[in-house]
Amino acid sequence: VGDFNFPFLKAGKDSTTLNENIGDKSSSEKKQAKFLLDFADEFFMEQYIKKPTRGRNILDLVFTNDHFLIHNYNIIVNSMLSDHFTICINLSLKESTNPQSQ
């Protein structure tokens, strides 16, 4: 979870990819974004935010490799709080019933 500030990332229905038409193709930021996407892919992580979090860009990202963890999310616009929108994530958590784990 975090503000990655990569405006050239685009979220599709099934994946997040680099938009090659935005910015310098060889910029260090674009290389960092590619590294992030490669890392997420290597560890079977999915990026869940598909709606803009600042203007028309998706800058704030949420990754997980537990596809049952995130039930859904909402974007809340509050320009008095920040220039980024607030992400409210509903997690699907289960309480442990194993007495040894406590």
Side-chain angles (χ1 to χ4, degrees):
V1 176
D3 173 7
F4 290 88
N5 210 24
F6 294 139
F8 34 79
L9 289 182
K10 60 180 180 178
K13 181 181 175 195
D14 297 321
S15 66
T16 300
T17 58
L18 283 174
N19 186 343
E20 296 294 339
N21 298 324
I22 297 176
D24 179 9
K25 291 183 182 185
S26 63
S27 76
S28 64
E29 289 176 335
K30 213 167 234 189
K31 289 176 185 175
Q32 291 172 13
K34 181 167 179 2
F35 179 80
L36 175 65
L37 294 178
D38 290 345
F39 176 87
D41 188 51
E42 182 176 340
F43 290 96
F44 308 101
M45 300 176 89
E46 183 177 345
Q47 196 288 117
Y48 276 81
I49 304 303
K50 308 293 185 201
K51 299 175 186 173
T53 59
R54 183 172 187 263
R56 290 183 283 167
N57 297 313
I58 301 173
L59 302 181
D60 305 278
L61 308 175
V62 175
F63 289 91
T64 184
N65 61 0
D66 181 348
H67 302 289
F68 298 106
L69 179 63
I70 297 177
H71 179 66
N72 62 22
Y73 72 92
N74 293 312
I75 303 290
I76 299 171
V77 178
N78 184 345
S79 58
M80 293 180 66
L81 179 65
S82 173
D83 61 337
H84 290 246
F85 306 153
T86 301
I87 303 171
C88 293
I89 304 169
N90 293 317
L91 302 176
S92 298
L93 301 175
K94 292 183 181 180
E95 186 176 339
S96 174
T97 57
N98 182 353
Q100 293 178 353
S101 67
Q102 296 179 0

